[in-house]
Amino acid sequence: MRPTTTPSADDVLDRGIPQGVSMPEAERFAEQRLAAAPWWWATARDLIPASDRDVLVPVLALLEFSFSLGGDSRDSARVQERWTWWRDEVANARTGESIQPLLIAVRPAVEAGLLDWSEITRLLEAIAADSGPRRYETWSDLEQPVMAIAKALRTVLLRATSTKAADETALDRMIAGVLLTDRIRTLRDGFLDRDRLVTPRADWPGPEFEVRLRDSALQGWGVDRAILEESRTAIRATIERIWPWYEAAERMHESFEGLARAWCWLAVHVGARVLQKIELWNAETALRRPEVTRLRRFILGWRARRERDCRSGSA
């Protein structure tokens, strides 16, 4: 095992991650990581049957961490430095040399054939390629990198749940829809904090749009009468492209069983609910981001548990 003094990104993300821990400590860290993550990760965790939690909770925590890495910086060099560090750690984990708790915690999943390092590496490469400050010229420029992430994530999740998909293309689109929905929901944060603007330039009304939108996002209201309607039009153009992906996947969960069924149902209905709420908020996510209420979160989790159990005769 490598010494704990090995340098790492941002001093191991400002000392927020313990190094060289035991397996029980690594598993606790994975649980704690998901408990502090956005609510849908915790909901997905709670759907894992008790008999599988020790193996699958670390896999979920590894995915959550990988998606969050580099997400809070406008510095492209810093973001890429983090990704280089994390890819190196994953490479070390192949030989059991990583001292990162999440990579220690997933070893049972690797041994059980529920996680493959090559597939995780492909997912990391796809996420890293679309990280940092970004502008997209066309819808295709936005769709392609997100679809690459979705395809890699689909492979990881199907392996983790020992499941095959009847329609991988539809599943990829649904996952991409969820990823894009969250980017639209957090458009203001992504724009101001990470210098990422999710709407393609082809949907902008003119070259001054970005400057006016940034000024509006900073102050919390439109700098002129036209900017809000222009931003709504650009955001709605992306929303209209996503809705068919959810509609095609509405009954996809019925082709799965157990945890895969529950996760699929949850992804479709959380994504569609959030997209619907964005529309109800008049697509003004350049100024504020909508949130799902605690009651709605509870209902979504309860419904997902029913889906998980419905073919086992327990619901």
Side-chain angles (χ1 to χ4, degrees):
M1 180 175 290
R2 295 179 302 146
T4 57
T5 55
T6 300
S8 53
D10 294 333
D11 197 19
V12 192
L13 304 186
D14 297 326
R15 299 287 183 181
I17 302 178
Q19 305 288 279
V21 297
S22 66
M23 179 61 75
E25 291 170 329
E27 291 172 343
R28 282 196 297 272
F29 178 81
E31 286 276 6
Q32 294 165 0
R33 176 83 200 182
L34 290 178
W39 67 272
W40 52 86
W41 289 103
T43 302
R45 174 203 60 188
D46 292 344
L47 292 172
I48 299 174
S51 58
D52 297 328
R53 286 182 68 91
D54 288 348
V55 175
L56 292 184
V57 165
V59 173
L60 205 60
L62 176 63
L63 294 176
E64 186 278 326
F65 177 79
S66 297
F67 273 99
S68 70
L69 191 65
D72 60 351
S73 177
R74 296 168 59 89
D75 186 338
S76 295
R78 185 183 184 196
V79 170
Q80 292 307 314
E81 179 185 340
R82 289 182 177 183
W83 278 112
T84 299
W85 164 75
W86 191 235
R87 284 192 293 259
D88 288 345
E89 290 294 341
V90 171
N92 289 324
R94 288 174 177 261
T95 56
E97 295 180 353
S98 178
I99 58 175
Q100 304 306 323
L102 293 178
L103 299 177
I104 294 172
V106 298
R107 287 174 188 166
V110 174
E111 293 168 0
L114 300 177
L115 186 71
D116 181 270
W117 289 123
S118 296
E119 293 170 357
I120 283 292
T121 299
R122 282 195 290 272
L123 175 61
L124 297 182
E125 295 290 350
I127 300 172
D130 197 41
S131 294
R134 290 298 301 270
R135 297 294 184 275
Y136 306 92
E137 295 297 328
T138 67
W139 165 247
S140 179
D141 293 335
L142 171 61
E143 180 188 25
Q144 287 179 6
V146 175
M147 196 63 71
I149 296 172
K151 290 178 179 179
L153 180 58
R154 177 253 299 164
T155 302
V156 173
L157 292 176
L158 290 180
R159 177 182 291 275
T161 55
S162 302
T163 303
K164 293 183 178 180
D167 189 341
E168 292 183 350
T169 298
L171 182 55
D172 292 343
R173 288 173 177 166
M174 182 273 285
I175 295 172
V178 173
L179 298 173
L180 284 171
T181 297
D182 191 55
R183 291 191 188 185
I184 297 171
R185 183 184 74 90
T186 59
L187 186 145
R188 180 180 184 273
D189 298 335
F191 191 21
L192 298 182
D193 298 342
R194 298 180 288 279
D195 196 24
R196 173 197 294 274
L197 195 50
V198 69
T199 57
R201 281 196 174 101
D203 295 331
W204 298 0
E208 298 299 320
F209 173 76
E210 180 176 341
V211 175
R212 293 162 54 233
L213 186 66
R214 185 186 299 278
D215 290 343
S216 299
L218 284 168
Q219 68 182 21
W221 64 87
V223 296
D224 55 56
R225 292 184 178 181
I227 185 61
L228 288 185
E229 188 55 39
E230 291 171 356
S231 68
R232 293 183 197 118
T233 299
I235 292 169
R236 284 174 181 145
T238 299
I239 290 174
E240 289 171 3
R241 296 173 180 121
I242 297 173
W243 267 125
W245 296 349
Y246 285 127
E247 291 165 355
E250 185 176 5
R251 303 184 71 87
M252 181 184 295
H253 66 283
E254 295 176 357
S255 65
F256 298 124
E257 294 187 2
L259 181 59
R261 182 185 179 105
W263 277 355
C264 181
W265 187 95
L266 184 69
V268 172
H269 286 80
V270 168
R273 175 65 183 177
V274 171
L275 203 59
Q276 181 184 52
K277 194 152 191 175
I278 291 170
E279 291 185 323
L280 291 173
W281 279 44
N282 208 13
E284 291 186 356
T285 55
L287 302 182
R288 61 189 67 85
R289 70 180 188 183
E291 300 289 352
V292 177
T293 65
R294 289 183 179 274
L295 176 60
R296 178 59 59 179
R297 297 176 193 179
F298 172 81
I299 292 172
L300 288 167
W302 175 73
R303 285 289 308 276
R305 283 192 292 274
R306 289 192 61 185
E307 292 296 335
R308 180 196 65 190
D309 298 336
C310 74
R311 290 193 179 183
S312 64
S314 59

